Every structure is written in structure tokens, then in C-alpha cells.
Amino acid sequence: MGSSKLSLLLLAPFLLLAAVPLVAGDELSTFIVHVHPREGRVLATAEDRNAWYRSFLPDDGRLVHAYHHVASGFAARMTRRELDALSAMPGFVSAVPDQTYELHTTHTPQFLRLESLDAKRTYPSHERGAGVIIGMLDSGIVPSHPSFSDHGMPPPPARWKGRCDFNGRRVCNNKLVGARSFITSPNATRSNSSSSELRVSPVDDEGHGTHTASTAAGAVVAGAQVLGQGKGVAATGIAPRAHVAMYKVCTETSCADSDILAGVDAAVGDGCDIISMSLGGDSKPFYEDSIAIATLGAVEKGVFVTISAGNSGPDASSVVNEAPWMLTVAASTMDRSIHSTVRLGNGFFFHGESVYQPSNVSASTLYYPLVYAGGSGKPYAELCGNGSLDGLDVRGKIVLCEAGSEPGILIPRILKGAVVQSAGGAGMILMNKFPHGYTTFADAHVLPASHVDYAAASAIKSYLNSTASPTAQIVFEGTILGDTSPAPSMAFFSSRGPSLQNPGILKPDITGPGVNVLAAWPFQVGPPNVASPPLPGPTFNIISGTSMSAPHLSGVAALIKSKHPDWSPAAIKSAIMTTAEVMDRSGDPILNEQRVPADLFATGAGHVNPEKAGDPGLVYDMAASDYIGYLCGLYDSKNVSVIARRPVDCTAVEVIPGSMLNYPSISVAFTQTWNWSTPAIVERTVRNVGEVPSVVYYAAVDVADDDVTVGVYPRELAFTQVNQELSFRVIVWPRQNGPKVVQGALRWVSDTYTVRSPISISFA
Ligand SMILES: *[C@@H]1O[C@H](CO)[C@@H](O)[C@H](O)[C@H]1NC(C)=O
Ligand SMILES: *[C@@H]1O[C@H](CO)[C@@H](O)[C@H](O)[C@H]1NC(C)=O
Ligand SMILES: *[C@@H]1O[C@H](CO)[C@@H](O)[C@H](O)[C@H]1NC(C)=O
Ligand SMILES: *[C@@H]1O[C@H](CO)[C@@H](O)[C@H](O)[C@H]1NC(C)=O
Ligand SMILES: *[C@@H]1O[C@H](CO)[C@@H](O)[C@H](O)[C@H]1NC(C)=O
Ligand SMILES: *[C@@H]1O[C@H](CO)[C@@H](O)[C@H](O)[C@H]1NC(C)=O
Ligand SMILES: *[C@@H]1O[C@H](CO)[C@@H](O)[C@H](O)[C@H]1NC(C)=O
């Protein structure tokens, strides 16, 4: 039986590892069971459904979650033998063992130019996200944090039906409108398992959920800082007028499928407009993927779904959460860095990063001996693994530690510093390996430290070789805004396409800020042994991951939903993707972690531009039913029925190949069996949502390659009405049969708008 791990997609400086138990024949374990009612039978109420679900089970105490909105079925504890019996019962469709997933910002609103005059016209500051409810599926929330103050917030819209489950105390307000938990307390007796009293509290004792929720929709908080760094004008979420609801589905270590499904079910039933998820596991077929199943149910009910792409980059096809009904978000840098500069005894210096910046009054004169334990022969000493420096002479020295871990052993960055400190080291230089390239993190280290890029790491190592007594110092220069290194640029960890599950859909969809993001945190971070008292005021933290970029996009979706309440999830996604930036702030193409131009498998449509996304000119829209035709192109009727949560007969459905879905990006995959004398034809339909009733758009194709010709017919789209729809074809003539990828874009250009779709063409 396959078992995989789901987790929050934070690029953990902390330890996050969970063992996945294997399921034996007589052992009780949790399964998600999909069932379909007999034909003609209507289950009108939640009680009807609960009673029907219980009829499958040997006793009441087995039910863990009953699903009502986005899945037809339940989660229950049972043995393999009981499951075999259950699977013979009428109405049974399929069962999957529960799996666990991993949980995978002051300056960002300015970096996203939400403070610019144009953006203020698009989204007046008193309206940013007004009337929109964002449901966060995460590790919980700390309701008392000032980022969730409801000062000046109106009550949530009347459709809101959510709950606030902080032990009866009235802690929710007009900003944090709801909080529920789907984690069953380890103390609960199973016979009471579906009652909410037996769930752990929705309070966040990890930090992740508080951080993501405040990124998406946190209130304005003056003077946000971490250890004195990062001070922006004020901390604010992307959509500070939006309401937030927390659905706790993750513990400190992992998130279970069955709980995520219950969380999405509740968020949809409660009336959320947007679901934001910063978690994921492995790539798997959609019929085995609870997140894909649940979120299709959400999108069918008009709810927008934002999700992180994963932190497994830069390897190809590492992207997860790939279903076309989700907005899949990659992570990139911004133009702020928190300099912690390494100066070598030979006078060379390198800018690294650390948010812990001890005062450096005497630093300019004092150099420390520099050591690298890699040659000591002790296991993991080059990585500064726990215990690996014991017995080595590092006392009073600056220790070089390689970034990253080895398979099977996770050594978080902050732990490496703690290891150096406990061995008596004076400081740490954390050195990138080649795949990490130029991506560096400003962590809350416990000792003077600097995280340097791979180029600096190579130079430091050759210096070490060149002299008998190498020395170095670490100088702290504080927060630098408008940093000259290219921004945005892709983070090494951001997961890459092409999508394993759907080659006809380009994934990830978009990139947003996900490196060194400052946002709310439940408690003070940093070295416990600093002499100076903790700075007063609200607590924040700077962390990185696609977990951090996804809630930025949830905030942007809230801005658009607030401005255009009648737009479908597909239209909002189109607006975000077709207006994305493909150039960085210096006007050059967005680079990757190696400082070479990033491809579409890293960036998707590009870097989000919230202001333009509010007024895209044209949108590529879709009906939720189109996804069923698309799924019938991938799977058989039985598997499609599981995803659709109702019986689907694919022979009676118009099949839509992936490349023909009306998606805002274009992906064409030529297989080896392609008839090379025929072109690939892609059809799209656009709707005029611009202000001007009559407008002409001209096609421009940016694909420069001798092995392929891309034509667009017609080359002109003349709209005479608002909301008018026009269709066109993109014809791709291959001229060669050999493995390669050609990428570019199609732009529809009017006097006012540019509507850009990335095009990716691959030859098997
Ligand atoms: C479980 O019970 C123990 C002992 O009574 C208690 O300390 C702990 O807080 C409980 N855990 C939860 C999640 O309620
Ligand atoms: C379930 O909970 C109710 C009230 O919370 C309690 O009265 C009942 O005894 C519990 N049942 C079991 C089997 O623990
Ligand atoms: C490091 O190792 C020691 C001894 O093996 C253990 O007690 C400690 O918990 C470990 N620390 C971490 C952070 O893993
Ligand atoms: C440093 O010296 C060691 C051993 O002589 C060698 O393996 C390594 O490649 C050298 N590193 C650099 C960066 O020159
Ligand atoms: C540390 O020293 C450097 C160079 O001497 C100086 O530029 C910087 O402002 C100092 N930083 C702090 C935080 O004092
Ligand atoms: C459908 O699902 C079954 C497992 O239930 C799998 O073995 C089969 O390959 C799937 N079929 C298709 C066409 O995906
Ligand atoms: C390939 O396409 C051409 C043009 O449509 C057609 O004439 C030819 O028969 C096709 N070849 C095969 C092997 O299907």
C-alpha cells in the first residue's frame, strides 16, 4: 500500500517529520470512504447523510468525519477486514487509507506595489478585500494577535454560518470571524469522536497558521519587526479588509487527509469565498488525492482555491497540487534583504543574511579563526548535524556549515547554529550547495550567523585552502530595502513543472513572494540567551516557503473577488495569470536561483501584479462542468465518479483534452506517436470584461524557435459589447521530433490592455 506524507509547505528551519504507520489486517486505522446514494434517493439533510454513513459502520464510535459539501462519504476507523466487508455494501465506491501531508510580511504590499497610486485607484484602501471571507486550512491561529484586530471592520456578510470554537470564550471578531478544529484530541474516546468538544482547540501552537492568515488578510499593525529587523511602515496583509476563518487541520508535525477534507467541507458549508492551503504531499492521480477531490467540490460551489506548489525544487516535475481547478503558487524573492556580511582575513567580503543581528560595536577589529569540520571524518560534520562537532576544536571560532540535509536526516538551519553554539563556536557561516544557488534565508538564528550563496561559499572554501590560519568576522548591517540583487527571482526550493498528472496543463500557475516573509507569529523568536530583554510589542517572524507565497495570492484573489463579486473562480484565476509580470524590477527576465532566466516550469505565468489583475481586459472563463469532461480525458468513469462525488458516465460526456480546457496558459505535449504532418490545435474563448464597450485586440506570438511555428486565427478580436465572448485557435506546427521544450507566450494587445498567456510546447 502506498503511503505518503502531507505537510505544511513551510521551508522548515524547525524540525517537521512524521512517521507514517503501516496498516495491518486487524489494526484500527482511518480510511476515507467514498459512497454514492442509490439512484433516486435524496439525502436532504445532514442528519439523513449521517444516518446513512453510520449504516456502513459496525458501531457509531467509528465515524471520524461525515462529509456534506465537497465529498460524498466519510472518514472512519476500521480494520482491513471490516473495510473488505464494507466494500461489498451497495453504494460503496472506493476507500483510501488516510494519509498525512506536510505543512509546506510587512514589506510585501509595497513590493507588490499595492501602495502605488494606480493600485489605490484599482483597490481603494478602505475596500481592499471588503465583503470577502478567506478560509485558511492550517495549523490554527492565535486570535489575540493584533494582526487579527477588527478595528474598523464591518460584520461578515449575512451568508456567513461559521463557528468560533475557542472553548466558548468570545474571541472571534469581525476580522477573525470563525475558527474550528478538525484534529481529534489524543485524549478523546472514539465513541464520542464526531463531537467538536473532543477536538483540540483551534489555537495555533506552531506559528504557521498565524503567519499565513496574517499574510493573506492581516490588519494593519504599526512597527512590525523581528529581533529589531524588517521594520516596514506597518505590517499588513494583502487584503486587510477581508475576513478570516481558520480551519485547523494540521498539528505541529503533519496534516491528515481526512481532516483536510473535513476542513474544506466546513469552509464551503460556512460560506467562505476563498480557500487558502499551504500544504501538500506527493503528486498522485486526482482520484487518490483528497485535496483534489475536496477542492473540485469547493470550486463547483464558486469558491476560489489557492494552494502552494511545494518546496521540492529545483528538480523537474516536483510540483504538487496540480489540478486545473486550483491556483498553484510558486515562490520567489523580493527586494529586501537583512544583511549579515562575512569578511575574510584576506579582505574579501560577501553579503549573507540573518535576522538575528547582535550589536557589532567592536566587530570592525575582531577576526575569529575560521574552521570547517567537513574533513574531520565525523558523520554529518560538514552539515553541522546534531552532535557532530562534539570533541572537535571549534571553541571561539566561526564554523562553516553546509546548507541542506542528507536523505533520511533533516538538519534544520537554526539547529545547525544551535549545534555550533553548544560546541562553543563563536559564529556560523551557513554555505549554500550548488543547487541552492543564490537563494538565502534570513533566519532567527541563536548565534551570530550568515547564510551565504553558493558563489560566496566556493570563494570562502578556496580561501580556507589557501592559508594556514584562516580568519573571518560577521558584520551586521541590518535591513536593506531596494536590494540590488535581481528581484523577484525564483527560490531554489520552489517546486517545478512539468506536471506529472496533467501534461496538457502548465503548472505551477503563478509566483509570489515566498522568501523571508515577515508576518504574525504566536511568540517571540530568536536566541533565548540574548542579554537584552525582548523588544516590546506584537510578535512576528520571518520564514520562507511556498506556504508563504500562496496566502499572498489568496489575498490578491480576495481583492479581485471584492471588486468583481460575480466573477467565477476561473475568471479570477485568469485575471491573475494573464496580467503577471515576466520581467524583474530591473526590467530583465525573471531569473532562477542560478541567475539564469527562469523557465515557465518555475514561474508559471509570471510574478503576480495585483493592480493589473483587478482590471485584466479579457478573461478565459470556464464552467465547473468543463472539469468533468477534462477528467474523462484522463480517467475511466469510475475514477471520475470518485472525484466528481456523483456517478459520471464518461461515454455520455464531451471529453476535453487538457490542452483544450479554456485555461489561461497553453501547454502542448507532442508524444512520440504524433503524426508529424499534422499540427496541434488549441481552442480558447475570451470574454471582454474591459470598461470600453468596443475594443479591438491584436494577437502577438512570442515563440522564437526554428522547430516550431505557432499561428493564431483569427489574428484580430473585435469586441462590440461588454461580456461578449470570442473564440480563436492556436495552431502549433511541429517541424522536428526530438526531446526538447520550446516556451514563449501569446499576447492579445489592445490600446489599453495586454492579456498574456504563457505557451509551453514539449516534444517527447
Ligand atoms: C490530554 O490529557 C492530558 C492529561 O490529562 C493533558 O495534560 C493534556 O493537555 C490533554 N491533551 C489535550 C490535547 O487535551
Ligand atoms: C460522550 O459525551 C457525552 C457528553 O459529552 C457523555 O455524556 C457520554 O458519556 C460520552 N460517551 C462516552 C462513551 O464516553
Ligand atoms: C540532539 O541530540 C541529543 C542527544 O542525542 C538529543 O538529546 C537532542 O534532543 C537532540 N537535539 C535536537 C534538536 O534534535
Ligand atoms: C580544498 O582542498 C581540498 C583538499 O585538498 C580539496 O578537496 C578541495 O577541492 C579544495 N577546495 C577548494 C574550494 O579549492
Ligand atoms: C555593524 O558594522 C558595520 C560596519 O562596521 C556598520 O555598517 C553597521 O551599521 C553596523 N550594524 C549595526 C547593526 O550596528
Ligand atoms: C482507476 O482506478 C483504479 C484504482 O481504483 C486504477 O487501478 C485504474 O488504473 C484507474 N483507471 C484509470 C483509467 O485511471
Ligand atoms: C498524417 O496526417 C496526414 C495529413 O492529415 C494524413 O494524410 C496521413 O494519412 C496521416 N498519417 C498517418 C499515419 O495517420
Side-chain angles (χ1 to χ4, degrees):
M1 178 186 328
S3 60
S4 69
K5 192 161 69 79
L6 276 153
S7 62
L8 295 166
L9 291 174
L10 156 77
L11 202 77
F14 320 102
L15 197 64
L16 277 181
L17 264 189
V20 182
L22 288 171
V23 185
D26 285 322
E27 228 168 274
L28 275 180
S29 59
T30 305
F31 290 88
I32 298 168
V33 181
H34 298 280
V35 293
H36 288 165
R38 255 173 292 141
E39 210 156 331
R41 178 147 180 218
V42 180
L43 298 165
T45 65
E47 284 72 39
D48 288 354
R49 259 186 309 267
N50 282 337
W52 178 51
Y53 293 160
R54 284 175 199 278
S55 74
F56 285 89
L57 296 170
D59 67 68
D60 267 12
R62 302 301 185 80
L63 192 65
V64 178
H65 296 292
Y67 304 123
H68 299 285
H69 304 282
V70 300
S72 171
F74 54 89
R77 306 255 306 160
M78 61 187 122
T79 65
R80 267 272 156 200
R81 268 177 252 290
E82 288 168 344
L83 178 65
D84 289 344
L86 188 154
S87 60
M89 294 169 79
F92 174 87
V93 178
S94 69
V96 286
D98 203 9
Q99 299 179 336
T100 59
Y101 288 63
E102 296 172 351
L103 276 174
H104 270 248
T105 175
T106 45
H107 178 55
T108 42
Q110 285 99 313
F111 184 63
L112 294 174
R113 297 188 168 139
L114 277 165
E115 305 304 323
S116 78
L117 278 178
D118 284 344
K120 282 184 169 158
R121 267 194 296 276
T122 310
Y123 310 109
S125 54
H126 58 281
E127 281 178 5
R128 274 163 54 183
V132 175
I133 305 163
I134 305 179
M136 308 292 306
L137 275 87
D138 214 300
S139 65
I141 194 162
V142 169
S144 57
H145 197 283
S147 288
F148 309 114
S149 150
D150 69 348
H151 180 73
M153 288 287 297
R159 66 175 183 285
W160 175 244
K161 296 197 280 288
R163 295 210 314 250
C164 187
D165 285 344
F166 291 108
N167 292 331
R169 279 175 301 135
R170 158 109 193 116
V171 287
C172 289
N173 58 27
N174 288 337
K175 164 59 71 180
L176 178 62
V177 294
R180 298 171 68 171
S181 171
F182 299 87
I183 311 280
T184 306
S185 164
N187 296 350
T189 57
R190 275 292 161 185
S191 42
N192 264 340
S193 60
S194 51
S195 104
S196 67
E197 297 88 69
L198 297 174
R199 310 256 185 249
V200 303
S201 149
V203 165
D204 181 13
D205 27 45
E206 207 277 328
H208 193 277
T210 301
H211 200 274
T212 56
S214 67
T215 298
V220 178
V221 183
Q225 48 77 26
V226 180
L227 298 167
Q229 296 303 316
K231 274 184 189 150
V233 188
T236 165
I238 298 300
R241 302 295 287 183
H243 309 277
V244 176
M246 174 57 66
Y247 297 84
K248 179 168 178 167
V249 296
C250 299
T251 66
E252 274 167 65
T253 48
S254 64
C255 333
D257 251 348
S258 56
D259 298 336
I260 296 170
L261 200 44
V264 176
D265 202 62
V268 170
D270 288 351
C272 289
D273 301 291
I274 291 163
I275 287 178
S276 186
M277 291 203 260
S278 290
L279 46 85
D282 300 329
S283 176
K284 48 174 137 13
F286 301 143
Y287 56 85
E288 286 177 358
D289 182 347
S290 291
I291 296 182
I293 295 170
T295 53
L296 178 60
V299 168
E300 285 179 342
K301 297 206 155 63
V303 178
F304 188 86
V305 176
T306 315
I307 196 154
S308 39
N311 297 338
S312 307
D315 293 347
S317 290
S318 49
V319 64
V320 296
N321 299 325
E322 306 145 81
W325 47 89
M326 307 164 168
L327 181 74
T328 310
V329 187
S332 42
T333 65
M334 55 186 132
D335 65 348
R336 176 185 63 202
S337 59
I338 304 177
H339 275 183
S340 161
T341 298
V342 173
R343 287 180 189 279
L344 300 179
N346 65 2
F348 285 21
F349 66 94
F350 307 95
H351 293 309
E353 290 196 88
S354 166
V355 69
Y356 173 48
Q357 303 246 314
S359 125
N360 64 358
V361 201
S362 60
S364 53
T365 53
L366 194 54
Y367 280 77
Y368 297 85
L370 186 63
V371 291
Y372 175 62
S376 69
K378 296 195 78 169
Y380 307 119
E382 74 285 7
L383 295 165
C384 300
N386 192 7
S388 70
L389 302 179
D390 295 351
L392 299 180
D393 178 22
V394 302
R395 186 157 298 277
K397 299 180 177 172
I398 291 179
V399 181
L400 294 168
C401 304
E402 307 261 15
S405 302
E406 290 290 323
I409 161 168
L410 180 61
I411 313 170
R413 300 186 297 274
I414 289 172
L415 174 65
K416 293 173 192 245
V419 169
V420 170
Q421 189 182 46
S422 74
M428 169 178 71
I429 297 172
L430 186 62
M431 303 183 297
N432 270 357
K433 291 185 185 164
F434 174 76
H436 307 136
Y438 287 90
T439 307
T440 53
F441 301 113
D443 290 322
H445 289 291
V446 298
L447 82 174
S450 179
H451 182 187
V452 298
D453 60 45
Y454 178 70
S458 308
I460 293 169
K461 279 193 189 167
S462 18
Y463 164 67
L464 197 69
N465 272 6
S466 72
T467 166
S469 49
T471 59
Q473 64 170 197
I474 300 174
V475 180
F476 300 99
E477 292 168 349
T479 305
I480 315 284
L481 293 176
D483 184 20
T484 49
S485 51
S489 63
M490 298 311 298
F492 80 84
F493 59 80
S494 185
S495 287
R496 310 291 152 97
S499 165
L500 290 175
Q501 304 303 331
N502 38 207
I505 304 285
L506 182 66
K507 288 279 173 176
D509 291 309
I510 190 89
T511 185
V515 180
N516 301 333
V517 175
L518 190 155
W521 200 250
F523 38 81
Q524 189 83 38
V525 294
N529 57 350
V530 228
S532 55
L535 293 164
T539 48
F540 292 84
N541 196 5
I542 290 183
I543 52 176
S544 303
T546 51
S547 272
M548 282 65 245
S549 56
H552 282 94
L553 270 294
S554 303
V556 172
L559 301 178
I560 301 172
K561 180 82 186 170
S562 174
K563 194 171 155 68
H564 305 286
D566 55 329
W567 282 13
S568 71
I572 294 174
K573 179 192 219 166
S574 172
I576 291 173
M577 287 172 63
T578 62
T579 56
E581 300 288 342
V582 291
M583 298 296 175
D584 68 17
R585 292 301 150 87
S586 321
D588 299 316
I590 292 176
L591 304 181
N592 68 13
E593 71 284 351
Q594 302 296 350
R595 297 213 171 141
V596 301
D599 67 12
L600 300 180
F601 297 137
T603 61
H607 191 263
V608 60
N609 181 327
E611 186 242 318
K612 285 188 183 162
D615 186 16
L618 303 176
V619 292
Y620 294 81
D621 204 354
M622 249 187 277
S625 57
D626 292 350
Y627 297 119
I628 304 300
Y630 160 78
L631 288 168
C632 283
L634 291 180
Y635 309 123
D636 61 19
S637 296
K638 187 182 162 216
N639 290 340
V640 174
S641 301
V642 171
I643 307 165
R645 305 157 330 278
R646 56 183 178 269
V648 172
D649 176 2
C650 282
T651 61
V653 169
E654 190 196 341
V655 170
I656 304 176
S659 62
M660 293 290 266
L661 203 61
N662 202 37
Y663 212 74
S665 59
I666 294 171
S667 173
V668 175
F670 288 103
T671 55
Q672 264 158 356
T673 53
W674 190 264
N675 179 345
W676 297 101
S677 47
T678 62
I681 299 174
V682 170
E683 274 178 18
R684 290 288 189 273
T685 300
V686 281
R687 193 170 75 228
N688 178 23
V689 295
E691 303 303 307
V692 198
S694 125
V695 57
V696 181
Y697 281 85
Y698 299 93
V701 175
D702 313 322
V703 178
D705 193 277
D706 290 342
D707 292 326
V708 65
T709 309
V710 179
V712 180
Y713 306 94
R715 298 197 59 89
E716 223 180 276
L717 297 176
F719 293 92
T720 53
Q721 290 162 42
V722 169
N723 285 327
Q724 183 184 0
E725 295 200 323
L726 291 175
S727 297
F728 62 90
R729 286 178 159 199
V730 177
I731 302 194
V732 183
W733 287 96
R735 294 233 194 87
Q736 179 232 320
N737 169 17
K740 82 182 270 187
V741 175
V742 177
Q743 297 188 328
L746 161 66
R747 287 174 292 129
W748 285 106
V749 183
S750 77
D751 287 346
T752 319
Y753 299 100
T754 295
V755 183
R756 187 178 179 283
S757 288
I759 300 180
S760 181
I761 301 160
S762 62
F763 299 87

